[in-house]
C-alpha cells in the first residue's frame, strides 16, 4: 500500500498547479487525507485536509487560493493551487488514513513533490 504524489513543478508567481495523491495496493478506500508542505529550515505544516465525506479545512494563508478535492472511485485526492506565491515554495506531501482488509486504518505518507514558485 502506498501513496504516490505528483504534479509539482516550477511555476511563476500567480500561476497554478494541481497536485495529485493516488493510493495503490490492496485497499478499500482512503479516509481522511491531508496535504502538508515543508520548506527548507521549517517544520512540516498542514496545508489542507479533507475527510472521506468531503469536509475540508485549510491553512489560513492558502484559503481562497487552494481547493482540496477527492475522487473516491479513483482513491485519489487533489490539491488545486492558484495564485501561487514564492512563499508557497516547499516539498508537498500527502498523508492519508488508508482502509485495508487488516485491522485499523494505516497512516501513510506519500513521497513528496517539489513546488517551486519564482518571483
Amino acid at each position: 500500500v502506498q501513496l504516490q504524489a505528483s504534479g509539482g513543478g516550477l511555476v511563476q508567481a500567480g500561476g497554478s498547479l494541481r497536485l495529485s495523491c493516488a493510493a495503490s495496493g490492496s485497499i478499500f478506500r482512503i479516509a481522511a487525507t491531508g496535504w502538508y508542505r515543508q520548506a527548507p529550515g521549517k517544520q512540516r505544516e498542514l496545508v489542507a485536509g479533507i475527510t472521506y465525506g468531503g469536509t475540508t479545512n485549510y491553512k489560513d494563508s492558502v484559503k481562497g487560493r487552494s481547493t482540496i478535492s477527492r475522487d473516491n472511485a479513483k482513491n485519489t485526492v487533489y490539491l488545486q493551487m492558484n495564485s501561487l506565491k514564492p512563499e508557497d515554495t516547499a516539498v508537498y506531501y500527502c498523508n492519508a488514513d488508508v482502509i485495508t482488509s487488516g485491522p485499523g486504518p494505516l497512516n501513510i505518507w506519500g513521497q513528496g513533490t517539489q513546488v517551486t514558485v519564482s518571483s
Side-chain angles (χ1 to χ4, degrees):
V1 178
Q2 59 180 352
L3 296 178
Q4 182 70 38
S6 62
L10 173 63
V11 64
Q12 289 188 332
S16 299
L17 285 172
R18 188 175 85 152
L19 307 183
S20 298
C21 176
S24 62
S26 298
I27 64 173
F28 290 138
R29 68 176 188 271
I30 52 174
T33 304
W35 280 100
Y36 293 75
R37 68 187 181 190
Q38 188 167 20
K42 295 187 177 181
Q43 290 188 333
R44 191 171 297 188
E45 61 181 5
L46 178 66
V47 177
I50 187 168
T51 66
Y52 181 77
T55 300
T56 60
N57 64 284
Y58 297 93
K59 178 179 173 61
D60 284 347
S61 63
V62 306
K63 283 181 181 177
R65 300 189 295 120
S66 298
T67 303
I68 188 170
S69 62
R70 62 190 300 149
D71 184 334
N72 290 333
K74 295 181 179 180
N75 287 319
T76 301
V77 174
Y78 306 96
L79 182 65
Q80 176 70 43
M81 301 189 294
N82 302 321
S83 302
L84 283 161
K85 304 176 181 180
E87 51 264 43
D88 294 317
T89 295
V91 178
Y92 284 70
Y93 300 88
C94 59
N95 174 265
D97 290 330
V98 179
I99 311 301
T100 70
S101 60
L106 298 176
N107 186 264
I108 299 175
W109 287 91
Q111 86 284 9
T113 185
Q114 176 71 47
V115 171
T116 304
V117 185
S118 63
S119 57

